[in-house]
Amino acid sequence: TTGQAEGMMCSFAQVNGVPSCASPYLKKYIRDEWKSDCFIMSDCCDAITSIWNQHHYAKNLEGAVVDAVKAGTQLAYSLGSELAHIRTAFQAALNDKRLTETDLNDAVQRIFETRFKLGEFDPSNPFNAHSQIPNLNTEGNRKLAREVAAESSVLLVNNDKLLPLQPNQQGKQIAVIGPFSACAYNRNNR
């Protein structure tokens, strides 16, 4: 809290069986103990939907959205069709009165306060939402990206010839353990 962060992110993880984006600890610590008025956003892509479909904490996506908002999560960092499903679930929760206009206003207010502080709506700010994004795909930037990638590469020692993994090797098995082990979702297939 001494750094006065404008935003915090809840993760995919669970604490005591409760997904972090649906945890009462968000309000207990961030709001009550730390006295922070920052906005809280979900981790990218599936942190809200995982409350329902991975952690099985909520009965459905609408329940996951309600749990997240009531816990203090104000922004779903999601992409594509997932975001559309979250919007639909949020609207259904408003219609069913499981979420209130006050819940919505609290979330929107915290997010827009930060956006205004950043000058996002100031026409004189070259980085506002309406400014032209410069071309970052330049030869100089590509060269720099290659240099950074080369300098940050890590080589693995492969003494026992474990890598590369080969399909259908007799007697070789890999255990995938954890709450997402049954998930066939691949982020590269978006």
Side-chain angles (χ1 to χ4, degrees):
T1 61
T2 57
Q4 300 176 359
E6 282 294 321
M8 294 191 190
M9 181 178 279
C10 52
S11 73
F12 290 93
Q14 291 184 31
V15 176
N16 298 326
V18 180
S20 68
C21 290
S23 175
Y25 290 147
L26 292 176
K27 283 187 177 174
K28 178 180 178 183
Y29 290 105
I30 296 172
R31 300 286 180 247
D32 300 338
E33 287 192 27
W34 300 345
K35 307 293 185 214
S36 175
D37 63 351
C38 69
F39 71 89
I40 302 169
M41 67 184 290
S42 69
D43 201 346
C44 182
C45 299
D46 288 335
I48 301 298
T49 55
S50 72
I51 294 169
W52 156 59
N53 68 4
Q54 295 294 326
H55 298 292
H56 307 289
Y57 183 77
K59 292 181 181 180
N60 53 35
L61 182 55
E62 183 181 334
V65 169
V66 170
D67 290 343
V69 171
K70 293 290 188 184
T73 304
Q74 291 131 345
L75 178 63
Y77 182 14
S78 300
L79 304 171
S81 63
E82 181 192 11
L83 184 57
H85 295 307
I86 288 173
R87 284 182 187 141
T88 301
F90 191 95
Q91 185 63 54
L94 282 171
N95 294 343
D96 296 345
K97 308 270 189 262
R98 295 181 68 197
L99 290 176
T100 66
E101 191 173 321
T102 301
D103 296 323
L104 175 62
N105 288 341
D106 180 53
V108 170
Q109 178 181 343
R110 290 180 197 275
I111 294 164
F112 272 86
E113 283 173 354
T114 298
R115 293 177 74 184
F116 276 104
K117 286 178 189 176
L118 292 171
E120 195 171 318
F121 303 104
D122 180 356
S124 66
N125 181 347
F127 301 104
N128 74 29
H130 307 290
S131 65
Q132 293 293 324
I133 297 173
N135 179 12
L136 301 176
N137 188 18
T138 65
E139 182 55 40
N141 286 350
R142 288 191 299 274
K143 181 180 180 221
L144 178 61
R146 284 189 295 274
E147 289 171 11
V148 169
E151 291 177 19
S152 62
S153 294
V154 176
L155 297 176
L156 300 174
V157 177
N158 195 20
N159 291 339
D160 296 327
K161 305 288 188 249
L162 178 65
L163 300 173
L165 299 175
Q166 300 296 321
N168 302 324
Q169 280 189 326
Q170 294 252 335
K172 303 261 181 169
Q173 295 180 348
I174 296 175
V176 180
I177 301 167
F180 295 103
S181 61
C183 180
Y185 178 74
N186 179 345
R187 291 192 188 283
N188 295 324
N189 290 336
R190 280 197 182 263

